[in-house]
């Protein structure tokens, strides 16, 4: 079994050697409802009990507020698996989470047009 500080089990040619849902012990439902834009941050409390290496990596990424989507990308895990890991950390008091604060309508036509214009400029 890997120590808490070990990185994800990767092989250069084969990729991840452990299936993503093995990381969450097969669980697909987090105990807390997260949005991909939810912000999580470490509390500084030490988690009690054994947490896997991915838990430790996620906790390390949360020194400053960070979104669930960013953590999933850094861990190279599906969002649902990341949400389960993060909910474990919230449950043991190592993380706090807050929902995204939308100050605008995310489907506002002018916002969507501005995003489209920005994407076109990048191409």
């Amino acid at each position: 079994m890997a120590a808490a500080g070990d990185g994800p089990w990767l092989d250069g040619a084969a990729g991840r050697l452990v299936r993503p849902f093995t990381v969450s012990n097969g669980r697909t439902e987090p105990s807390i409802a997260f949005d991909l834009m939810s912000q999580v941050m470490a509390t500084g409390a030490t988690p009690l009990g054994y947490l896997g290496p991915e838990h430790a990596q996620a906790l390390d990424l949360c020194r400053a507020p960070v979104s669930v989507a960013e953590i999933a990308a850094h861990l190279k895990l599906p969002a649902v698996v990341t949400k389960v890991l993060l909910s474990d950390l919230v449950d043991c008091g190592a993380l706090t989470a807050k929902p995204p604060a939308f100050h605008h309508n995310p489907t506002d036509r002018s916002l969507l047009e501005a995003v489209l214009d920005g994407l076109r400029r990048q191409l």
Side-chain angles (χ1 to χ4, degrees):
M1 186 164 273
D6 290 349
W9 295 354
L10 297 174
D11 177 273
R16 182 177 284 277
L17 298 176
V18 175
R19 292 280 194 197
F21 289 98
T22 303
V23 172
S24 64
N25 294 324
R27 294 173 294 146
T28 59
E29 289 292 323
S31 60
I32 297 163
F34 287 109
D35 184 279
L36 287 176
M37 297 305 295
S38 294
Q39 298 286 302
V40 291
M41 185 171 168
T43 62
T46 303
L48 299 174
Y50 174 77
L51 294 175
E54 286 82 3
H55 286 94
Q57 289 175 328
L59 190 55
D60 190 48
L61 292 168
C62 297
R63 290 186 204 140
V66 62
S67 72
V68 172
E70 289 177 81
I71 294 167
H74 283 291
L75 295 178
K76 296 181 176 138
L77 288 171
V80 67
V81 173
T82 302
K83 290 177 181 181
V84 170
L85 295 176
L86 294 175
S87 70
D88 292 345
L89 292 167
V90 170
D91 290 344
C92 73
L95 284 183
T96 59
K98 79 178 199 185
F102 289 112
H103 299 293
H104 55 78
N105 179 359
T107 58
D108 178 42
R109 183 177 179 92
S110 62
L111 173 64
L112 295 174
E113 287 174 351
V115 170
L116 183 59
D117 289 342
L119 291 172
R120 285 183 179 144
R121 282 192 296 267
Q122 295 295 319
L123 298 177

